Amino acid sequence: MSAQETVDPSTIAEMEETIARISSHKGVEGVMIMDRRGAIIQSTLDDDQAKTHAAALSDLTGKASYIVGMLNQDDELTFLRIRSKEREIMISPDKEFLLVVLQNPNLSE
């Protein structure tokens, strides 16, 4: 059973609308929604890119969440942003899902 098969159809429709809206912004190279374990639910990336990003970013988000909670147990990670010279990765964690946006920061300015 794929990760998408375990998600309510109305939630899938909402995810598709969100991906379409975000993808229309200048500089956006890819959008991905996955569960907290890194199982891909929706993605605009090709399969190889999606699998590579999902594995690394779900792990990174889990570690970042742990550190935030360790430093202050009343706090929680709400957004994670990584920027390099060529790419920006933005991750918005939810209780069940991670929304990942990859963009070229040089095009969005």
Side-chain angles (χ1 to χ4, degrees):
M1 181 180 291
S2 73
Q4 187 171 5
E5 292 171 350
T6 62
V7 179
D8 182 82
S10 64
T11 303
I12 293 292
E14 186 178 332
M15 287 178 180
E16 289 171 350
E17 290 173 21
T18 300
I19 287 174
R21 182 174 35 82
I22 292 171
S23 295
S24 69
H25 290 274
K26 186 176 181 181
V28 172
E29 296 176 343
V31 180
M32 185 168 45
I33 298 175
M34 59 185 152
D35 70 13
R36 290 292 211 148
R37 297 179 325 250
I40 302 159
I41 298 168
Q42 294 278 324
S43 178
T44 62
L45 302 172
D46 67 47
D47 285 344
D48 288 338
Q49 280 185 315
K51 288 176 186 173
T52 300
H53 282 80
L57 296 175
S58 65
D59 186 45
L60 178 64
T61 304
K63 289 178 180 178
S65 293
Y66 172 76
I67 291 169
V68 169
M70 182 182 72
L71 296 173
N72 180 351
Q73 56 189 1
D74 296 326
D75 205 358
E76 65 182 299
L77 182 69
T78 58
F79 196 78
L80 180 60
R81 183 176 184 170
I82 304 162
R83 185 169 178 161
S84 68
K85 289 180 183 177
E86 297 180 10
R87 179 173 274 171
E88 185 171 38
I89 302 170
M90 295 169 285
I91 305 167
S92 179
D94 187 78
K95 287 182 182 176
E96 296 179 58
F97 308 109
L98 299 176
L99 170 65
V100 177
V101 178
L102 306 167
Q103 72 176 13
N104 181 333
N106 302 314
L107 291 178
S108 61
E109 293 177 345

